[in-house]
């Protein structure tokens, strides 16, 4: 009996402590366009370690930005996380984000601003069949427009945010006219009407539907660990070409301005930037980490060093509308 009352007193004392410590609920609300298993695992880990309940709402990056704009006067979400830099511009322009109070010393430079930080980096590259095309000669996206590759190029549709960011980046680097020429050349060489996701492009290359495809590197890593034997086979037979100036996009995270649980949001962001979480992103999802304290996954190492093209993540989204117009003009479905 005495033991029980002692326990009760302890519990009461504990709950008094926590209610004094924070006025926030023990929750954090996330809007996420990162729909990967590794994220769900990490969020459960965060819940277990902190006792903070994670409410996850998934959607597409641009749609979540629209929702955040609608809710701006009374935000519901504490955190927004997504898979491409093109949403950064509208997020900043619409003043959706809060200043981040996190320590950025261990982060790779160039991958954060006052109100955002990259969670991971991803390279969009050219892939080919190592067995049937052992000595590929192409080195960059422009090479794929050569008439000798007529009916040989595979890509997913222009509605893919990865292609939107890739081509918006081209406008940022080389201007609209050069980008239109590149797009036209690619469309002229398409092996088929764009269909399927990134993995499907790799599968099509191995099936002999075309010689080269454009895709994100982490899908090759994901296919290597797939439970489907066909995907493992494709991953082993695919070779990667990092263009001279490789397009590296970011998956980024930000805290929503005036959000209901800012302290919990900051804890979660710090957790996702911890060595543990960053290693998971690299090892389970094949993404490049943003911490300069951990080595790149052994899985990514054989693919070698590469040159990253200069890119201004904060203004990339400025070119989104122009990019969509160009996709339309060149008939990239
Ligand atoms: Fe993806």
């Amino acid at each position: 009996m005495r033991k029980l009352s002692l326990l009760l007193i302890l519990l009461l004392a504990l709950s008094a402590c926590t209610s004094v410590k924070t006025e926030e609920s023990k929750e954090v609300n996330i809007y996420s366009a990162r729909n990967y298993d590794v994220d769900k695992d990490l969020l459960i880990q965060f819940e277990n370690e902190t006792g903070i309940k994670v409410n996850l709402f998934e959607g597409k990056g641009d749609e979540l930005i629209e929702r955040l704009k609608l809710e701006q006067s009374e935000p519901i979400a504490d955190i927004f996380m997504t898979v491409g830099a093109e949403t950064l511009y509208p997020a900043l322009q619409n003043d959706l984000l809060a200043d981040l109070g996190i320590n950025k010393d261990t982060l790779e430079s160039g991958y954060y601003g006052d109100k955002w930080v990259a969670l991971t980096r991803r390279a969009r590259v050219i892939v080919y069949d190592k067995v049937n095309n052992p000595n590929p000669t192409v080195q960059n996206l422009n090479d794929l427009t050569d008439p000798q590759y007529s009916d040989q190029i595979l890509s997913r549709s222009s509605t893919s945010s990865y292609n939107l960011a890739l081509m918006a980046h081209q406008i940022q680097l080389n201007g609209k006219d050069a980008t239109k020429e590149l797009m036209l050349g690619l469309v002229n060489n398409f092996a088929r009407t764009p269909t399927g996701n990134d993995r499907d492009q790799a599968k099509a290359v191995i099936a002999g539907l075309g010689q080269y495809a454009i895709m994100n590197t982490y899908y090759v890593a994901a296919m290597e660990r797939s439970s489907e034997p066909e995907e493992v086979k494709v991953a082993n037979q695919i070779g990667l070409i990092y263009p001279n100036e490789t397009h590296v996009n970011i998956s980024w995270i930000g805290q929503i301005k005036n959000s209901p649980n800012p302290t919990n949001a900051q804890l979660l962001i710090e957790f996702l930037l911890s060595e543990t979480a960053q290693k998971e992103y690299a090892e389970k999802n094949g993404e490049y980490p943003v911490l300069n304290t951990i080595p790149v996954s052994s899985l990514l190492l054989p693919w070698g060093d590469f040159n990253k093209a200069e890119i201004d993540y904060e203004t990339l989204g400025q070119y989104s509308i122009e990019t969509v117009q160009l996709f339309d003009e060149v008939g990239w479905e």
Side-chain angles (χ1 to χ4, degrees):
M1 187 64 190
R2 189 187 284 173
K3 255 188 194 165
L4 191 67
S5 50
L6 194 66
L7 187 70
L8 268 175
I9 290 165
L10 257 173
L11 280 174
L12 282 172
L14 264 175
S15 65
C17 272
T18 48
S19 62
V20 167
K21 219 163 87 184
T22 170
E23 287 163 14
E24 294 177 21
S25 61
K26 281 292 241 179
E27 290 189 323
V28 64
N29 304 319
I30 306 179
Y31 286 1
S32 174
R34 283 184 54 93
N35 310 324
Y36 307 110
D37 289 342
V38 63
D39 286 60
K40 280 154 204 147
D41 294 347
L42 284 169
L43 295 177
I44 290 170
Q45 215 174 305
F46 175 77
E47 282 186 334
N48 292 341
E49 280 178 25
T50 61
I52 296 167
K53 186 174 182 298
V54 176
N55 302 313
L56 177 64
F57 181 83
E58 293 183 326
K60 286 188 166 181
D62 51 352
E63 290 166 8
L64 292 174
I65 289 284
E66 289 311 311
R67 192 171 165 146
L68 289 168
K69 278 155 71 174
L70 289 173
E71 296 166 355
Q72 196 163 13
S73 58
E74 216 172 321
I76 297 167
D78 297 294
I79 278 180
F80 172 64
M81 55 203 265
T82 189
V83 292
E86 66 283 353
T87 44
L88 197 45
Y89 182 74
L92 293 170
Q93 284 297 302
N94 290 285
D95 200 18
L96 298 175
L97 305 173
D99 277 322
L100 283 181
I102 57 164
N103 174 12
K104 294 165 184 157
D105 292 349
T106 54
L107 302 175
E108 289 280 355
S109 63
Y111 293 97
Y112 56 83
D114 293 339
K115 296 169 191 270
W116 61 276
V117 60
L119 270 186
T120 64
R121 301 174 283 173
R122 41 258 305 280
R124 196 151 182 78
V125 301
I126 300 164
V127 297
Y128 64 98
D129 184 331
K130 284 192 289 192
V131 175
N132 295 307
N133 181 16
N135 301 303
T137 47
V138 305
Q139 284 175 331
N140 55 51
L141 289 175
N142 273 301
D143 292 341
L144 301 179
T145 66
D146 192 304
Q148 68 169 305
Y149 302 122
S150 174
D151 294 329
Q152 294 301 327
I153 306 305
L154 292 145
S155 163
R156 68 197 287 176
S157 79
S158 62
T159 57
S160 151
S161 68
Y162 301 146
N163 282 341
L164 179 85
L166 180 72
M167 290 301 151
H169 186 200
Q170 289 297 312
I171 298 180
Q172 190 180 59
L173 284 171
N174 305 318
K176 202 175 166 183
D177 292 346
T179 304
K180 184 174 180 179
E181 209 174 308
L182 169 66
M183 283 186 180
L184 254 181
L186 289 171
V187 170
N188 284 338
N189 284 349
F190 277 171
R192 61 177 178 187
T193 302
T195 180
N197 57 27
D198 273 18
R199 291 177 203 228
D200 294 323
Q201 310 316 313
K203 288 174 189 168
V205 167
I206 299 306
L209 293 179
Q211 266 184 293
Y212 298 104
I214 299 167
M215 72 182 290
N216 287 347
T217 51
Y218 67 89
Y219 287 115
V220 181
M223 285 195 294
E224 265 179 312
R225 261 155 297 144
S226 171
S227 55
E228 291 174 39
E230 190 216 344
E231 290 206 336
V232 179
K233 180 185 173 275
V234 168
N236 289 331
Q237 205 173 322
I238 278 290
L240 285 92
I241 297 163
Y242 286 85
N244 302 339
E245 296 214 305
T246 298
H247 167 74
V248 175
N249 203 346
I250 50 168
S251 177
W252 66 273
I253 189 166
Q255 191 179 317
I256 302 306
K257 196 175 179 183
N258 302 323
S259 89
N261 308 296
T263 315
N264 298 346
Q266 190 176 326
L267 282 174
L268 179 57
I269 294 173
E270 282 168 350
F271 172 78
L272 294 176
L273 293 170
S274 68
E275 284 201 11
T276 322
Q278 288 286 307
K279 276 184 186 156
E280 300 250 313
Y281 284 139
E283 277 154 28
K284 289 193 182 160
N285 220 36
E287 297 176 89
Y288 297 101
V290 292
L291 285 190
N292 55 28
T293 52
I294 58 170
V296 173
S297 156
S298 59
L299 199 88
L300 300 173
L301 276 180
W303 300 349
D305 251 345
F306 60 91
N307 281 330
K308 174 188 179 261
E310 236 180 87
I311 184 165
D312 181 348
Y313 292 121
E314 292 197 356
T315 62
L316 189 71
Q318 236 181 327
Y319 307 99
S320 292
I321 292 171
E322 271 179 321
T323 308
V324 172
Q325 283 167 349
L326 285 186
F327 278 137
D328 232 41
E329 285 174 31
V330 303
W332 186 327
E333 288 181 44

